[in-house]
Amino acid sequence: EIVMTQSPATLSVSPGERATLSCRASQSVISKLAWYQQKPGQAPRLLIYDASTRATGIPGRFSGSGSGTEFTLTISSLQSEDFAVYYCQHYFNWPQTFGQGTKLEIK
Amino acid sequence: EVQLVESGGGLVQPGGSLRLSCAASGFSFSLSWMSWVRQVPGKGLEWVANIRQDGSDKFYEDSVMGRFTISRDNAKNSLYLQLDSLRPEDTAMYYCAKDHTVFGVIDSWGQGTLVTVSS
């Protein structure tokens, strides 16, 4: 099973600033990496797949990069609605595993 | 608009069974891989099982293999998860999920149904 490790566990950023979240895979997943956002009491929402492709309806301030074992989700200018928990997930093989999440909180 | 509505969760004793259902609408259900993903309250996400469009292929997470069964009825636009031999560690919110055209990516989620395994 591929283990996904996200860092940091919690990230404090001020509105309007840039946030950078990291995800590392225990072995290469090439570009088969997705990012999801989850707000309290809600189901997750797909943001990015194939490491860098934005899902339908996702604002341009969200961008993904990386390949192999190292990935990054960048939110260029944080809006109030962006404060949430973010999960990465690989789909290179079964089981498709998630990282433990990064909580993005208001500084 | 894609809608996924789960039902069937509840409180069950260890060793007991439950059947979760998911009613799907707003998309071509018979053309989509479907999945169940669970989340322990306050914790992370775990893929439980998924099923091919025609039901011919099914994949399970190791800890549920032999205890949970995923199935679907394309005529009823419905997805199911039979949970047997339940353990306290199966306590979680169970989400019905629709796979993206990119296999392994989830593009739509239900609101979840809570399963609590406790005596």
Side-chain angles (χ1 to χ4, degrees):
Chain A
E1 173 176 312
I2 297 174
V3 177
M4 308 300 293
T5 302
Q6 293 185 240
S7 61
T10 303
L11 182 61
S12 299
V13 183
S14 300
E17 294 190 339
R18 174 188 298 257
T20 302
L21 289 68
S22 297
C23 175
R24 173 177 292 178
S26 61
Q27 66 185 74
S28 177
V29 297
I30 46 177
S31 294
K32 295 187 181 295
L33 191 284
W35 289 94
Y36 301 86
Q37 175 194 66
Q38 187 177 32
K39 297 179 181 179
Q42 296 185 15
R45 176 175 71 143
L46 176 65
L47 300 175
I48 300 282
Y49 63 94
D50 287 347
S52 61
T53 302
R54 274 191 301 278
T56 302
I58 301 303
R61 63 181 181 274
F62 291 90
S63 64
S65 62
S67 66
T69 62
E70 301 285 343
F71 301 88
T72 300
L73 174 70
T74 301
I75 311 170
S76 59
S77 178
L78 280 164
Q79 308 296 304
S80 58
E81 62 266 29
D82 300 334
F83 293 95
V85 179
Y86 291 83
Y87 294 96
C88 63
Q89 173 238 326
H90 86 84
Y91 45 98
F92 179 74
N93 60 9
W94 182 263
Q96 298 125 319
T97 51
F98 294 87
Q100 80 280 17
T102 290
K103 182 180 181 180
L104 181 57
E105 65 177 27
I106 300 174
K107 186 175 182 179
Chain B
E1 178 191 1
V2 173
Q3 284 204 317
L4 300 168
V5 180
E6 303 94 336
S7 61
L11 175 63
V12 61
Q13 292 189 338
S17 297
L18 280 175
R19 190 192 195 207
L20 307 183
S21 298
C22 172
S25 61
F27 66 102
S28 297
F29 180 78
S30 63
L31 300 182
S32 298
W33 277 83
M34 296 294 295
S35 297
W36 288 98
V37 177
R38 67 184 178 183
Q39 185 173 35
V40 174
K43 301 296 184 183
L45 298 160
E46 180 179 52
W47 212 298
V48 174
N50 64 2
I51 185 169
R52 185 183 287 276
Q53 291 91 331
D54 62 0
S56 60
D57 284 307
K58 304 173 185 181
F59 297 92
Y60 297 95
E61 196 271 327
D62 282 352
S63 70
V64 309
M65 183 86 70
R67 300 188 300 121
F68 291 7
T69 303
I70 189 172
S71 62
R72 64 192 297 162
D73 185 336
N74 288 342
K76 294 183 178 179
N77 286 348
S78 293
L79 178 72
Y80 306 101
L81 186 68
Q82 177 69 37
L83 291 68
D84 296 318
S85 302
L86 281 161
R87 305 167 180 170
E89 56 264 35
D90 295 319
T91 294
M93 183 72 78
Y94 284 73
Y95 293 102
C96 169
K98 169 186 169 294
D99 284 28
H100 191 273
T101 51
V102 174
F103 177 71
V105 177
I106 294 176
D107 66 8
S108 299
W109 304 68
Q111 284 305 301
T113 187
L114 183 62
V115 172
T116 303
V117 184
S118 175
S119 54

